[in-house]
C-alpha cells in the first residue's frame, strides 16, 4: 500500500485509482470496501475472454477529512480506459447509498450534528464512460448512478474530482455534471463526446484531436473554470486536491446548490441563456468565449502560469 | 475465445521466507497484470492461479514463478494473478515489487 506522505506531493495526473483514494483523505483513514480481496470482477468480460480485474477498475471506500466522513469512489483509467460496467457502477451506487443511509441515521440519532460532521461523497473520475463490452448493463448502470446522486441531493454533497490522464468523458461526463461540485486541475478534461470520437465521426476539420492545445482549451480545466463547469481549479498534486476538499467538506449542503449545473428550473433557465449566447456569438474557438467573459488577451490566458491564471482570469457570468 | 485459467503448484526445496499479511499490487492495464499474494500453509510450496486472455504459455508461467521463488526463497503463499498480455519481464518486475512491499515493513 502506498505511503500517505509520499502521495501528497505526487502528481494527481499520474496517480492510480488507489493512490488517489488514499491520498485524498486524511492520513491512515482510508478503508477500502469491496476491494480486490473480495474479488468482484465483471462476469461479462470473462464471457468475452477479456482480461478482468479484481476490483473491476474502481476503488471504493471510506475515509475522513477532519470531522467529515468521506465516501470515496476512484476510477482506474489504465483498466479498459476506466470504462464503467455493471460491477463498477454497482460499487459506485452502493457507496453513494451508504453515504445517504449514514446521513439519515446520523440526523435521526443526532439532530444537533454540525455540517462538518455530515458525510460527503467524492468521486475521482478517470473514464471514457460506458464499458461497451457490457452494452445495456453499462448504460443502465450510468442511469442508476445519476439516480442515486439525486437521492443524495439536499443530504449528502457529491463532489467530482477530475485531474487524471483520461479525463472524464462519455456517459460519465453526464454523471459528473449531475454532481454538486466539480474540482479540477488544468490537466483534467471534462466533456461528453471525447476528442477522438468527434474527429472520427465529424472529420478533422470539425475537431483535430491531435492538436493537444486545441483539445485542452476546449475540454481542459482552464476552459471549464471560465465557463463555470468547474467550481474549483487547483494546481496539480494530490495534496492540492485534498486541500480543496478540506474547504468544501464543512460547508452546509445548501451551499452546494449554487455550484450545481443541473436539476432545477433556474438552472435550466441559465443553460438556455448560455445556448442563446453561443447562438448570438457563434464562437469559432474557446478563446472567443474567454474574450466574451472579459479576458482581453485569450492567448495569454491560455499560457500564463496557473497562479496568475487563478488570480487574474475573469469567469463567464450569465 | 475464452479466458484461460492456469492453476499449478511450485515447490522449491529451500523455501524459507513467508509473508504475514495479504497484499495486492498492480493494475490490469494493457501489457500489465495485478497480483494478490496471500499467506497460506502449503508446506513450503506456492499455489498459483493465473487468469489470462493469452493461450499456450503455461510452461513459461511455471518457469517464471519458479525463477521468482528460487530468487526470493518465498513459500507458503498463494498467488492470484489477473494478466492482460504482460511480458515475462513485466511479470517478474511486478512479482518482485509485490515481494518487496510485502516484506518491507
Amino acid at each position: 500500500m502506498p505511503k500517505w506522505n509520499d502521495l501528497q506531493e505526487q502528481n494527481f495526473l499520474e496517480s492510480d485509482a488507489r493512490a488517489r483514494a488514499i491520498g485524498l483523505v486524511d492520513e491512515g483513514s482510508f478503508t477500502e470496501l469491496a476491494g480486490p480481496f473480495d474479488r468482484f470482477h465483471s462476469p461479462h468480460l470473462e464471457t468475452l475472454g477479456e482480461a478482468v480485474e479484481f476490483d473491476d477498475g474502481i476503488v471504493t471506500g471510506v475515509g475522513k477529512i477532519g470531522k467529515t466522513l468521506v465516501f470515496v469512489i476512484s476510477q482506474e483509467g489504465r483498466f479498459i480506459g476506466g470504462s464503467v460496467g455493471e460491477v463498477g457502477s454497482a460499487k459506485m451506487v452502493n457507496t453513494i447509498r451508504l453515504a445517504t443511509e449514514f446521513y439519515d441515521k446520523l440526523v435521526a440519532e443526532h439532530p444537533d450534528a454540525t455540517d462538518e460532521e455530515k458525510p460527503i461523497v467524492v468521486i475521482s473520475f478517470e473514464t471514457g464512460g460506458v464499458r461497451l463490452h457490457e452494452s445495456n448493463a453499462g448504460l443502465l448502470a450510468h442511469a442508476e448512478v445519476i439516480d442515486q446522486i439525486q437521492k443524495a441531493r439536499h443530504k449528502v454533497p457529491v463532489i467530482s474530482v477530475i485531474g487524471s490522464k483520461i479525463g472524464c468523458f462519455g456517459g460519465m461526463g453526464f454523471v459528473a455534471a449531475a454532481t454538486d461540485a466539480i474540482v479540477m486541475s488544468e490537466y483534467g478534461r471534462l466533456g461528453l463526446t471525447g476528442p477522438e470520437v468527434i474527429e472520427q465521426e465529424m472529420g478533422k476539420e470539425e475537431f483535430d484531436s491531435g492538436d493537444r492545445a486545441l483539445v485542452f482549451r476546449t475540454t481542459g480545466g482552464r476552459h471549464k473554470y471560465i465557463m463555470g463547469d468547474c467550481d474549483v481549479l487547483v494546481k496539480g498534486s494530490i495534496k492540492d486536491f485534498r486541500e480543496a476538499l478540506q474547504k468544501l467538506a464543512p460547508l452546509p449542503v445548501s451551499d452546494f446548490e449554487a455550484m450545481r449545473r443541473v436539476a432545477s428550473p433556474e438552472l435550466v433557465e441559465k443553460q438556455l441563456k448560455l445556448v442563446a449566447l453561443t447562438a448570438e456569438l457563434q464562437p469559432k474557438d474557446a478563446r472567443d468565449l474567454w474574450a466574451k467573459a472579459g479576458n482581453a488577451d485569450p492567448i495569454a490566458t491560455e499560457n500564463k502560469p496557473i497562479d496568475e491564471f487563478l488570480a487574474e482570469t475573469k469567469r463567464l457570468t450569465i | 475465445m475464452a479466458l484461460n485459467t492456469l492453476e499449478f503448484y511450485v515447490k522449491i526445496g529451500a523455501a524459507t521466507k513467508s509473508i504475514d499479511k495479504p497484499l495486492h499490487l498492480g493494475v490490469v492495464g494493457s501489457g500489465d497484470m495485478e497480483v494478490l499474494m496471500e499467506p497460506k500453509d502449503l508446506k513450503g510450496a506456492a499455489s498459483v492461479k493465473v487468469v489470462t486472455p493469452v493461450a499456450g504459455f503455461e510452461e513459461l508461467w511455471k518457469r517464471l514463478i519458479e525463477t521468482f521463488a528460487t530468487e526470493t526463497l518465498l513459500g507458503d503463499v498463494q498467488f492470484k494473478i489477473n494478466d492482460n498480455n504482460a511480458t515475462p519481464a513485466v511479470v517478474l518486475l511486478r512479482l518482485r515489487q509485490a515481494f518487496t512491499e510485502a516484506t518491507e515493513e
Side-chain angles (χ1 to χ4, degrees):
Chain A
M1 192 163 289
K3 292 196 182 55
W4 190 87
N5 272 324
D6 301 341
L7 289 176
Q8 291 306 305
E9 296 306 320
Q10 194 172 305
N11 195 346
F12 192 92
L13 182 73
E14 288 165 357
S15 303
D16 67 27
R18 197 154 283 110
R20 277 180 267 135
I22 294 166
L24 281 174
V25 293
D26 287 349
E27 183 169 10
S29 72
F30 184 74
T31 305
E32 189 163 350
L33 303 173
F37 293 102
D38 299 306
R39 292 197 280 271
F40 288 119
H41 69 247
S42 162
H44 304 281
L45 292 175
E46 200 175 337
T47 320
L48 291 166
E50 295 276 339
V52 294
E53 186 164 70
F54 292 127
D55 57 15
D56 204 36
I58 286 193
V59 176
T60 48
V62 57
K64 278 178 91 175
I65 293 179
K67 287 183 181 170
T68 311
L69 206 56
V70 185
F71 290 78
V72 187
I73 300 165
S74 182
Q75 303 175 327
E76 177 54 64
R78 278 194 292 152
F79 181 62
I80 328 186
S83 60
V84 178
E86 198 175 358
V87 173
S89 69
K91 287 172 78 171
M92 293 181 77
V93 168
N94 281 305
T95 307
I96 304 169
R97 187 178 57 77
L98 272 182
T100 317
E101 285 174 5
F102 175 77
Y103 172 90
D104 288 338
K105 210 170 163 196
L106 179 80
V107 173
E109 288 174 15
H110 304 277
D112 56 343
T114 62
D115 291 315
E116 205 181 353
E117 287 160 350
K118 291 175 184 166
I120 61 169
V121 174
V122 171
I123 311 178
S124 171
F125 286 99
E126 186 180 20
T127 174
V130 180
R131 182 176 295 161
L132 296 176
H133 313 65
E134 310 197 6
S135 57
N136 292 353
L139 279 170
L140 190 62
H142 280 65
E144 282 175 5
V145 176
I146 294 183
D147 187 38
Q148 200 62 48
I149 291 173
Q150 279 303 115
K151 283 180 184 150
R153 195 166 172 203
H154 305 303
K155 294 180 176 179
V156 182
V158 181
I159 303 169
S160 299
V161 167
I162 304 168
S164 296
K165 225 162 204 169
I166 296 197
C168 175
F169 287 102
M172 278 293 147
F174 287 98
V175 174
T179 60
D180 292 291
I182 299 184
V183 181
M184 289 178 84
S185 72
E186 61 174 318
Y187 310 109
R189 296 182 297 151
L190 168 63
L192 298 177
T193 311
E196 278 84 1
V197 183
I198 300 175
E199 183 183 308
Q200 186 182 311
E201 296 299 317
M202 303 298 289
K204 232 182 177 66
E205 302 75 31
E206 178 69 24
F207 199 78
D208 182 356
S209 70
D211 184 343
R212 303 294 285 168
L214 173 69
V215 168
F216 273 89
R217 73 171 176 269
T218 316
T219 64
R222 290 192 186 208
H223 177 58
K224 297 291 160 182
Y225 178 73
I226 294 175
M227 296 300 289
D229 289 330
C230 145
D231 303 294
V232 184
L233 191 67
V234 299
K235 276 165 97 177
S237 70
I238 291 185
K239 186 172 161 218
D240 296 329
F241 278 94
R242 187 176 51 79
E243 285 173 350
L245 293 176
Q246 230 165 11
K247 287 195 191 107
L248 291 170
L251 296 179
V253 69
S254 52
D255 282 17
F256 285 89
E257 281 301 304
M259 297 183 224
R260 280 191 75 94
R261 273 140 287 273
V262 294
S264 77
E266 298 76 41
L267 287 167
V268 172
E269 193 80 8
K270 196 175 161 192
Q271 294 290 351
L272 285 174
K273 277 188 193 153
L274 183 63
V275 173
L277 175 74
T278 43
E280 177 206 316
L281 204 65
Q282 296 286 329
K284 292 271 176 274
D285 194 292
R287 288 177 190 142
D288 299 344
L289 285 160
W290 301 357
K292 173 74 187 169
N295 301 292
D297 186 352
I299 293 179
T301 303
E302 191 176 342
N303 295 323
K304 65 175 90 164
I306 190 73
D307 291 320
E308 284 172 39
F309 176 88
L310 285 169
E312 295 161 11
T313 304
K314 295 189 181 66
R315 305 175 72 184
L316 194 67
T317 46
I318 299 163
Chain B
M1 202 182 74
L3 272 183
N4 304 288
T5 305
L6 319 174
E7 282 182 274
F8 55 89
Y9 285 87
V10 167
K11 187 167 169 99
I12 54 156
T16 53
K17 281 194 189 149
S18 59
I19 54 171
D20 51 11
K21 57 176 193 300
L23 182 117
H24 170 258
L25 183 132
V27 173
V28 192
S30 183
D32 213 329
M33 55 156 259
E34 69 176 336
V35 58
L36 286 181
M37 271 167 57
E38 291 161 302
K40 193 181 183 187
D41 184 12
L42 294 164
K43 304 208 163 27
S47 86
V48 184
K49 182 180 175 188
V50 182
V51 177
T52 171
V54 194
F57 287 88
E58 189 158 1
E59 269 313 305
L60 191 55
W61 276 105
K62 273 187 194 157
R63 275 164 52 194
L64 266 171
I65 305 287
E66 267 165 24
T67 306
F68 173 70
T70 314
E71 173 186 302
T72 57
L73 302 178
L74 183 65
D76 285 331
V77 63
Q78 218 176 3
F79 294 97
K80 294 204 173 73
I81 294 171
N82 280 332
D83 165 62
N84 186 10
N85 301 278
T87 60
V90 172
V91 175
L92 260 185
L93 173 72
R94 295 291 175 240
L95 291 176
R96 282 173 185 151
Q97 282 177 325
F99 178 74
T100 309
E101 227 177 89
T103 50
E104 213 172 31
E105 291 133 308

